[in-house]
Amino acid sequence: MKKFFLILTILVLAACDNTPPETQNTPTPIPVEEEVAEVATLEPTPTNSPEPSATATETETPIPSPTSTNTPTPTNTPTSTPTDTPTPSATPTNTPIPPTPLPTETYTPTPPPIPEIPVYPNTPTQPWDQGIFSNHVHIVADTVHRFYDYFGNVTTGSTGYCYEYWGTYYDKWEHAPAFTDVPPEWQGRYTEYRSILYDLRIAVLPVSDVCEGGGGFLDEETEQATLAALASLDGRAAQLASTVP
C-alpha cells in the first residue's frame, strides 16, 4: 500500500508538472485513473509472497514431542526392585529353632525315684542281688497264676482251705524280699515287682480277713471283684517275668 501511495503521489506530482495553465483541467485526470488501475493490477503479485510462511510451519514439525513421552520407561525399574528385597526376612525366622534341644539334656540326668511301696509285715530286706531278685520275680508270677485258677474254682462251687491259702500262696508273697541299692537299670522292674506284691495283698484282703476269723463265706460281689483283680495281676506278673532272665 505504501508503494501504491508513493506511485500515486509521483504520478500526481508528474501530472502537476505537465499540466498547462489552469485552462487545461479536463484532459489530465483521465490518464491518472488508467495508471492507478494498472498499479492496482500489479499489486496482487506481491500477495503470493507468503511462501516463507509455509517454511515456518515445516520447522515446527521436527520437534520430537513423542520422545518426551517415552522417557517415563525407566520409572518401571525402581518399582520392581523393592518388591524382591523382602525375601531376606524369611531367614531370621528360622534361626530361633536350635535352642529347642536344650530341655532334653536337663531331663536325662534325673533318674526316676523309687516310690515307697508298703511291704508285708514279715517281708525281709536285703542288699541288691540280681539272681535272688530274678528268682522271686518268677516265683511271684507262678503263684499269682496258680491262685487265680484256684480262687476261680472256689467262686464256681469248690471248697477253699485257709491252710492252703496261707502256706502255698500268701507265704510266698509275704517273704518275697525287698532290696536296697537297686541299680538304675533295674529300678523300673523292681518298682513293678513291689507294686504287684502290694496290689496283690490288697486284692486278697477279703480272703485274709475270712481266714483270720477262722473261716467263712464271701458274698458274690466280693468274689467277682477279687477274681477281676487277680486276672489283672496275673497278666502284669507274667509280663514282668518275661523281662527278667
Side-chain angles (χ1 to χ4, degrees), residues 8 40 61 69 80 87 119 129-131 134 138 143 146 160-161 164 169 185 194 198 207 210 233 238 240 242:
L8 182 59
T61 53
T69 56
S80 59
T87 51
V119 296
D129 188 301
Q130 182 177 337
S134 299
H138 288 283
T143 53
R146 288 193 293 114
Y161 299 94
E164 187 173 3
Y169 304 108
E185 62 271 16
R194 296 308 306 169
Y198 175 75
V207 180
V210 168
L233 289 166
L240 178 61
S242 67

Side-chain angles (χ1 to χ4, degrees), residues 26-38:
T26 54
T28 54
I30 295 169
V32 174
E33 291 177 355
E34 291 178 358
E35 291 180 358
V36 171
E38 291 178 359

Side-chain angles (χ1 to χ4, degrees), residues 159-236:
T159 302
Y161 299 94
C162 288
Y163 73 90
E164 187 173 3
Y165 167 71
W166 291 120
T168 304
Y169 304 108
Y170 189 88
D171 183 70
K172 301 294 188 298
W173 305 331
E174 186 177 24
H175 289 89
F179 295 91
T180 61
D181 302 326
V182 180
E185 62 271 16
W186 287 90
Q187 285 182 356
R189 283 171 283 188
Y190 176 72
T191 301
E192 178 65 7
Y193 162 75
R194 296 308 306 169
S195 297
I196 290 172
L197 288 170
Y198 175 75
D199 294 342
L200 182 60
R201 183 185 177 187
I202 302 301
V204 298
L205 186 60
V207 180
S208 298
D209 291 342
V210 168
C211 289
E212 286 178 354
F217 297 93
L218 296 174
D219 59 79
E220 184 177 357
E221 183 179 356
T222 303
E223 287 180 349
Q224 294 302 318
T226 302
L227 190 65
L230 288 172
S232 175
L233 289 166
D234 183 28
R236 287 172 60 190

Side-chain angles (χ1 to χ4, degrees), residues 79-103:
T79 54
S80 59
T81 52
T83 54
D84 298 330
T85 52
T87 51
S89 62
T91 54
T93 55
N94 297 326
T95 52
I97 297 173
T100 51
L102 293 176

Side-chain angles (χ1 to χ4, degrees), residues 140-164:
V140 171
D142 178 64
T143 53
V144 169
H145 179 69
R146 288 193 293 114
F147 184 73
Y148 172 58
D149 291 340
Y150 176 81
F151 189 78
N153 292 329
V154 173
T155 59
T156 58
S158 298
T159 302
Y161 299 94
C162 288
Y163 73 90
E164 187 173 3

Side-chain angles (χ1 to χ4, degrees), residues 42-99:
L42 295 173
E43 192 64 18
T45 55
T47 57
N48 295 327
S49 61
E51 293 178 357
S53 63
T55 57
T57 56
E58 291 178 357
T59 55
E60 294 177 356
T61 53
I63 295 172
S65 61
T67 56
S68 60
T69 56
N70 295 328
T71 54
T73 52
T75 56
N76 295 326
T77 54
T79 54
S80 59
T81 52
T83 54
D84 298 330
T85 52
T87 51
S89 62
T91 54
T93 55
N94 297 326
T95 52
I97 297 173

